[in-house]
Amino acid sequence: MSRTTTRTTPRTTSRTTGRTALLAAIGLITATGATATVMTTTAGAAAAGCKVEYQVTNQWNTGFGANVVVTNTGDPLSAWTLEWSYAGDQKVTQGWNATITQSGAAVTAKSLSYNGSLATGGSTSFGFNGSYSGTNAVPATFTLNGVTCNGATQPPTTPPTTPPTTPPTTPPTTPPTTPPPTGTKADNPYAGAKVYVNPEWSAKAAAEPGGTKVSNQPTGVWLDRTAAIAGVNGGMGLRDHLDRALVQKGSGELVVQLVIYNLPGRDCAALASNGELGPTEIDRYKTQYIDPIAAILADPKYAGLRIVTTVEIDSLPNLVTNVSGRPTATANCDVMKANGNYIKGVGYALNKLGSLANVYNYVDAGHHGWLGWDDNFGPSAELFKQAATAEGSTVSKVHGFIVNTANYSALKEDHFTIDDSVNGVSVRQSKWVDWNRYTDELSYAQAMRAKLVSIGFDANLGMLIDTSRNGWGGTARPTAPGARTTVDTYVNGGRYDRRIHLGNWCNQSGAGLGERPKAAPAAGIDAYVWMKPPGESDGASKEIPNNEGKGFDRMCDPTYTGNARNGNSMSGALPDAPLSGQWFSAQFQELLKNAHPAL
């Protein structure tokens, strides 16, 4: 899926925004999910407002769960206190993502160290479980930082009497599952946690000869179209996976890895991984894709899971490398840059999902063979920040970045470095490296992390590296540097990555499984992950009619002689491949055979 490009002259961008208003009012939401915004005017100050969404997400005959989203439409805040009073005998029994206290009917929720800062347009959320008897009316009045807004709302005529899923036979007095987190988010969600094993992928892997050696490994769950949320062709949907995750979790911590992957005009520089939404369908993306995912993740039932979202693989880098002025420009990428829907979509997803207490957003940051050149690296980092601050999002909604997703770039090249030279000629001048600043994914990920922190992302930013298909083991794996005859013989003889060209990305022949998933393997790296499930095709090797919006990309055709993105080289793709995402047995066997470390 991921791809490379040639270079032009370096460029950098910077963007600042400034908005001022006074936060003075609260809008309310009923238990059914409708919202309203209330504006007030304070003497001597400009009109201002904010919005609060109060939603009862789960209810049984003596208890309920609620989620509250606070959106700031006024001046930036460094801390916040939200207060309300219940009309009945509701009692908060357990809360998360805020310090919640109650005195009689009065409830106070105070921000924590990590979510007190709210920029103009920024949102945060907290949740709690409570008990009640009789009716469970929505609070009529809220105050934020001491400023009161009185606004009437209409609660549902008949409040729900059962949870949205099967009610417990004995109504719980604690959350329906293990308690949700009550403190700050983990600095590294993978640390000390198990990671969800997708039973659908595991069964396919185990059915392959030798597959049981890896079928217990955790892989990403790809939500690559709207239908995947409910489940495609009788397969597991998002709730099914989360319910199974609760079983796998037991009494410890567990990470569930989701791939958010359905942007309008998706993958503008490729065809094999195009999607269902047209370039202008940003509203459908928001309301029919992101909103339903967020609603499921907000269910208190899942509050004890650590949800890692990898947001929109292979999207934003295209707006730097494959637009007008670049040799690899495409008309589709020009359209997506002009309409801004990649930026809007990613920003909306980050804001909506990042407002949930147990969600950790990781944004796709390409790979070194795509963005490792000077004129791609800095501009891409700036573009990531632009997306992270779009649609009400802030950089605080980004927990980290992921590199090499569904790609093949070697984790670490041991036989040459970027500083080496042969007969006075730099490794950077070799045909393989081609003036790139990086030789592998680990050095690229660490450098990209440093760059992102330098432009305003959190100092504790974490990186993920997808190692599902970058092992490059087997008999073709070099055991020593290449001959120092020329810089090309030196690099080509010693490199682990055996692709014909660094820009080849589809079902690569000779690839192998890489490092097994593990937490905190290197400085600045939260985890090595298998986000792309090994054995799932990158794209069909010939045109296959389908209703998934996926086209035929010649880079998946083993007879293709290439284009500007891969230096007009052979594609290196395996033959007889099915549509992207479908099981490809021959590829899985190739990955097993060439695994490094060996199985």
Side-chain angles (χ1 to χ4, degrees):
M1 291 182 183
S2 302
R3 53 201 64 82
T4 186
T5 182
T6 53
R7 280 82 54 222
T8 57
T9 55
R11 64 182 177 86
T12 58
T13 59
S14 63
R15 296 171 178 82
T16 59
T17 59
R19 293 170 292 182
T20 58
L22 175 67
L23 179 62
I26 305 293
L28 306 180
I29 181 168
T30 70
T32 58
T35 62
T37 302
V38 181
M39 305 294 291
T40 66
T41 301
T42 302
C50 70
K51 183 171 66 174
V52 170
E53 299 176 20
Y54 180 104
Q55 185 178 24
V56 174
T57 55
N58 195 12
Q59 184 166 297
W60 53 98
N61 58 352
T62 60
F64 68 102
N67 188 65
V68 181
V69 179
V70 181
T71 301
N72 177 23
T73 60
D75 283 344
L77 300 175
S78 59
W80 50 264
T81 299
L82 187 69
E83 297 174 281
W84 70 90
S85 292
Y86 284 117
D89 66 345
Q90 296 99 321
K91 296 289 189 296
V92 175
T93 58
Q94 187 171 37
W96 53 94
N97 211 28
T99 300
I100 305 176
T101 57
Q102 185 169 357
S103 177
V107 181
T108 300
K110 293 185 177 181
S111 59
L112 300 175
S113 59
Y114 66 92
N115 66 356
S117 178
L118 277 181
T120 304
S123 298
T124 191
S125 70
F126 62 93
F128 60 90
N129 287 298
S131 63
Y132 78 102
S133 62
T135 60
N136 184 21
V138 172
T141 302
F142 290 81
T143 66
L144 186 69
N145 289 3
V147 178
T148 302
C149 175
N150 294 316
T153 63
Q154 295 298 321
T157 321
T158 305
T161 56
T162 58
T165 54
T166 305
T169 46
T170 303
T173 55
T174 57
T177 58
T178 52
T182 55
T184 61
K185 287 185 179 180
D187 175 60
N188 179 357
Y190 291 86
K194 297 183 292 184
V195 187
Y196 175 63
V197 177
N198 181 345
E200 292 184 312
W201 175 83
S202 182
K204 292 174 184 176
E208 292 279 345
T212 55
K213 294 179 181 179
V214 297
S215 59
N216 64 338
Q217 293 292 345
T219 54
V221 174
W222 286 61
L223 302 175
D224 63 349
R225 50 194 140 149
T226 301
I229 301 171
V232 178
N233 297 327
M236 295 174 69
L238 178 55
R239 278 196 180 274
D240 298 319
H241 284 294
L242 296 176
D243 288 341
R244 188 66 65 90
L246 291 175
V247 176
Q248 292 185 17
K249 180 181 185 298
S251 59
E253 299 289 350
L254 184 130
V255 171
V256 179
Q257 302 174 130
L258 304 178
V259 180
I260 307 301
Y261 186 54
N262 198 30
L263 274 180
R266 190 177 74 192
D267 282 8
C268 59
L271 295 173
S273 46
N274 287 166
E276 65 182 351
L277 300 180
T280 63
E281 294 187 284
I282 186 66
D283 290 337
R284 281 189 63 194
Y285 175 79
K286 293 178 178 180
T287 61
Q288 297 181 27
Y289 179 70
I290 294 298
D291 288 356
I293 291 172
I296 292 172
L297 299 185
D299 189 333
K301 180 180 182 182
Y302 307 124
L305 298 172
R306 296 178 178 180
I307 310 294
V308 164
T309 61
T310 53
V311 178
E312 294 301 347
I313 308 306
D314 289 348
S315 60
L316 297 175
N318 281 302
L319 303 185
V320 172
T321 65
N322 295 316
V323 293
S324 291
R326 297 299 186 99
T328 54
T330 72
N332 290 339
C333 289
D334 280 339
V335 168
M336 299 318 299
K337 182 176 182 179
N339 68 24
N341 284 342
Y342 278 7
I343 297 292
K344 295 172 187 175
V346 170
Y348 187 85
L350 292 175
N351 189 35
K352 192 80 175 183
L353 301 174
S355 296
L356 302 174
N358 60 327
V359 171
Y360 300 76
N361 285 325
Y362 289 79
V363 180
D364 180 67
H367 56 90
H368 90 277
W370 189 0
L371 302 182
W373 289 275
D374 292 344
D375 55 343
N376 297 344
F377 188 85
S380 292
E382 295 287 349
L383 191 71
F384 299 154
K385 185 175 182 181
Q386 182 185 356
T389 54
E391 297 291 307
S393 182
T394 66
V395 293
S396 65
K397 300 289 179 69
V398 178
H399 202 78
F401 286 77
I402 183 169
V403 303
N404 204 47
T405 308
N407 205 256
Y408 299 85
S409 296
L411 178 66
K412 182 71 174 70
E413 292 284 7
D414 295 321
H415 299 317
F416 63 97
T417 75
I418 204 68
D419 298 319
D420 290 351
S421 62
V422 176
N423 300 325
V425 179
S426 169
V427 157
R428 292 189 67 206
Q429 293 176 254
S430 66
K431 184 177 180 181
W432 174 256
V433 177
D434 193 23
W435 294 104
N436 202 306
R437 288 285 180 187
Y438 308 98
T439 60
D440 51 41
E441 284 308 293
L442 181 57
S443 61
Y444 168 75
Q446 291 171 328
M448 178 58 79
R449 179 189 178 278
K451 176 64 176 178
L452 292 164
V453 170
S454 76
I455 63 172
F457 284 91
D458 193 282
N460 293 323
L461 199 70
M463 304 296 287
L464 305 177
I465 302 178
D466 188 348
T467 59
S468 60
R469 304 184 300 178
N470 70 348
W472 296 105
T475 57
R477 184 177 177 87
T479 58
R484 299 186 69 92
T485 309
T486 68
V487 72
D488 285 324
T489 58
Y490 175 66
V491 170
N492 288 332
R495 61 181 167 93
Y496 296 139
D497 188 335
R498 305 313 298 172
R499 284 177 291 178
I500 297 170
H501 189 276
L502 197 58
N504 288 355
W505 54 269
C506 193
N507 300 324
Q508 289 299 285
S509 175
L513 299 169
E515 288 282 350
R516 314 309 178 246
K518 65 176 69 172
I525 309 300
D526 280 353
Y528 295 152
V529 297
W530 284 7
M531 201 59 65
K532 172 71 173 181
E536 291 190 1
S537 174
D538 294 322
S541 53
K542 59 185 178 182
E543 189 166 4
I544 300 176
N546 65 91
N547 61 359
E548 301 175 24
K550 295 171 181 175
F552 169 49
D553 197 303
R554 290 296 306 279
M555 287 297 290
C556 301
D557 177 358
T559 69
Y560 185 46
T561 56
N563 55 39
R565 292 187 193 90
N566 79 333
N568 296 300
S569 305
M570 296 297 292
S571 70
L574 292 168
D576 303 318
L579 289 173
S580 62
Q582 295 186 5
W583 190 254
F584 188 12
S585 178
Q587 186 205 55
F588 187 77
Q589 289 299 320
E590 187 102 338
L591 295 174
L592 289 178
K593 179 180 70 174
N594 297 317
H596 186 86
L599 299 172

